[in-house]
Amino acid sequence: MAGQPDNKLSDETVTQEARPKLKKPPLFKVMLLNDDFTPMDFVVQVLKSFFGMSEEKATQVMLHVHTRGVGVCGVFSKDVAETKVRLVTDYSRKHQHPLLCTMEEA
């Protein structure tokens, strides 16, 4: 009939994908703590080797750790942060330095 709406359902079904709301995983700060025994040049070497810092950036972070007692080396996912803490700690002990590397939620 002309003029009346067509009540037939379309053969095409519109679907909308449900997107779950995913929470980003927490990030963790990896930090070095100052001590009176680990040489400054060793700390700079650690920052360059394990955190990919330039000589200048590593020196800045090392001086921050030295003057403030603690400094952030980087912010990472939990697994990466745990690995960096373990690697830095193992490397420091292997070279007979008490350098302490820790992590906390950012």
Side-chain angles (χ1 to χ4, degrees), residues 11-16:
D11 288 338
E12 293 179 34
T13 306
V14 177
T15 58
Q16 185 174 1

Side-chain angles (χ1 to χ4, degrees), residues 55-98:
E55 181 85 25
E56 183 180 343
K57 179 68 176 170
T59 301
Q60 288 174 350
V61 173
M62 176 275 297
L63 289 172
H64 183 88
V65 171
H66 181 69
T67 58
R68 304 274 174 92
V70 65
V72 176
C73 306
V75 180
F76 308 96
S77 67
K78 185 176 183 182
D79 290 345
V80 172
E82 287 174 341
T83 300
K84 290 204 180 272
V85 167
R86 183 177 41 79
L87 290 172
V88 169
T89 301
D90 290 350
Y91 183 76
S92 298
R93 298 307 169 272
K94 180 181 173 189
H95 289 86
Q96 301 177 355
H97 295 301

Side-chain angles (χ1 to χ4, degrees), residues 32 42-54 57-63 65 72-73:
L32 289 180
F42 182 82
V43 176
V44 169
Q45 177 190 353
V46 164
L47 291 167
K48 289 169 56 180
S49 300
F50 294 96
F51 298 96
M53 294 183 189
S54 66
K57 179 68 176 170
T59 301
Q60 288 174 350
V61 173
M62 176 275 297
L63 289 172
V65 171
V72 176
C73 306

Side-chain angles (χ1 to χ4, degrees), residues 27-31 72-76 81 85 102-106:
L27 295 176
F28 290 80
K29 295 186 286 189
V30 174
M31 301 171 299
V72 176
C73 306
V75 180
F76 308 96
V85 167
T102 63
M103 62 185 264
E104 70 180 36
E105 195 164 340

